[in-house]
Amino acid sequence: KAGVTQTPRYLIKTRGQQVTLSCSPISGHRSVSWYQQTPGQGLQFLFEYFSETQRNKGNFPGRFSGRQFSNSRSEMNVSTLELGDSALYLCASSLEQGARGAFFGQGTRLTVV
Amino acid sequence: AQSVAQPEDQVNVAEGNPLTVKCTYSVSGNPYLFWYVQYPNRGLQFLLKYITGDNLVKGSYGFEAEFNKSQTSFHLKKPSALVSDSALYFCAVRGSSGGYNKLIFGAGTRLAVHP
């Protein structure tokens, strides 16, 4: 069974631009969560989607958004990029809502210049 | 509010010696507890979890963790460390209430195993 796939692996963007990151969960998994990892703030929860609905949201500005498609694939979007958005963005998939474990992808390394 | 503390930024161990990476948590209700490992430029790899049952949980690569409810701890252990165990280790908690999959992570502990 393939694991969680995130694309692209690396991105370089300019301040003010927007970016879309993609996550394909493990086959059969319906819950997708997103996390931001930075050296200063560590791993922080962004949001969770289940059956195409956002179920939970972390403490991030509205520039961060996401969605989930009917095949459970998810995208997250960051608009008006700031230097501080440079981070490793990790996607995790779980079998169901309230699942007892999450499996992570390799992440997308976003650099904002 | 849920929180996780990993009190050590770094743990240094000689190869072949036992290792312990500490984690304490705060959560309302019964906790779901997890350990993940991260190698450079990689995502998080699942090591083990505690949901309910035996306090000693066995996981991948010879790791185990002991759940202690009275001390609200979930320390990661391995009887004999390998150089290849050198990585960043994260403890995470999720509350059992609600159906959400939001994990709260500790700051991480860097494990360095020396030959």
Side-chain angles (χ1 to χ4, degrees), chain B residues 74-87:
Chain B
F74 189 56
H75 301 331
L76 182 70
K77 301 182 179 184
K78 188 173 182 182
S80 179
L82 300 172
V83 173
S84 57
D85 292 330
S86 299

Side-chain angles (χ1 to χ4, degrees), chain A residues 9 31 35 37 43 45 48 55-56 88 94 96-102 104-106, chain B residues 32 34 36 38 41-44 46 49 51 88 90 94 98-103 105:
Chain A
R9 289 291 312 277
S31 171
Y35 293 82
Q37 185 179 21
L43 279 155
F45 173 80
E48 178 197 3
R55 297 292 185 176
N56 206 352
L88 181 66
S94 304
E96 59 195 11
Q97 202 174 13
R100 298 179 172 189
F104 284 80
Q106 302 230 37
Chain B
Y32 291 179
F34 306 86
Y36 288 88
Q38 186 176 38
N41 297 315
R42 304 293 293 272
L44 300 178
F46 173 82
K49 66 184 178 188
I51 304 298
L88 189 55
F90 290 95
R94 182 176 85 73
Y100 306 124
N101 291 329
K102 175 181 177 180
L103 293 174
F105 285 89

Side-chain angles (χ1 to χ4, degrees), chain B residues 9-11 21 36-40 45 47 63 82-90 108-113:
Chain B
D9 290 338
Q10 178 150 332
V11 170
V21 182
Y36 288 88
V37 61
Q38 186 176 38
Y39 295 96
Q45 291 182 31
L47 278 178
F63 284 94
L82 300 172
V83 173
S84 57
D85 292 330
S86 299
L88 189 55
Y89 290 80
F90 290 95
T109 298
R110 189 164 300 281
L111 174 65
V113 182

Side-chain angles (χ1 to χ4, degrees), chain B residues 11-22:
Chain B
V11 170
N12 296 297
V13 177
E15 188 174 32
N17 282 2
L19 69 88
T20 298
V21 182
K22 295 179 180 177

Side-chain angles (χ1 to χ4, degrees), chain A residues 34 44-48 54 56-61 64, chain B residues 102:
Chain A
W34 289 88
Q44 293 186 285
F45 173 80
L46 278 158
F47 27 64
E48 178 197 3
Q54 187 181 90
N56 206 352
K57 191 177 192 305
N59 218 11
F60 280 82
F64 291 81
Chain B
K102 175 181 177 180

Side-chain angles (χ1 to χ4, degrees), chain A:
Chain A
K1 208 181 236 187
V4 179
T5 303
Q6 292 189 244
T7 56
R9 289 291 312 277
Y10 302 92
L11 265 179
I12 300 176
K13 290 286 187 178
T14 304
R15 270 183 304 174
Q17 286 186 313
Q18 76 167 22
V19 67
T20 299
L21 312 181
S22 179
C23 172
S24 293
I26 292 170
S27 178
H29 283 197
R30 298 167 62 194
S31 171
V32 173
S33 303
W34 289 88
Y35 293 82
Q36 181 196 64
Q37 185 179 21
T38 59
Q41 299 298 317
L43 279 155
Q44 293 186 285
F45 173 80
L46 278 158
F47 27 64
E48 178 197 3
Y49 287 86
F50 181 79
S51 292
E52 303 178 63
T53 302
Q54 187 181 90
R55 297 292 185 176
N56 206 352
K57 191 177 192 305
N59 218 11
F60 280 82
R63 300 185 297 106
F64 291 81
S65 63
R67 59 178 175 169
Q68 186 180 33
F69 302 96
S70 59
N71 62 358
S72 294
R73 189 178 70 85
S74 178
E75 290 181 346
M76 69 162 280
N77 185 277
V78 188
S79 62
T80 321
L81 284 165
E82 301 177 359
L83 295 179
D85 297 333
S86 296
L88 181 66
Y89 289 88
L90 293 164
C91 168
S93 83
S94 304
L95 187 60
E96 59 195 11
Q97 202 174 13
R100 298 179 172 189
F103 298 91
F104 284 80
Q106 302 230 37
T108 295
R109 172 77 61 186
L110 172 65
T111 302
V112 183
V113 297

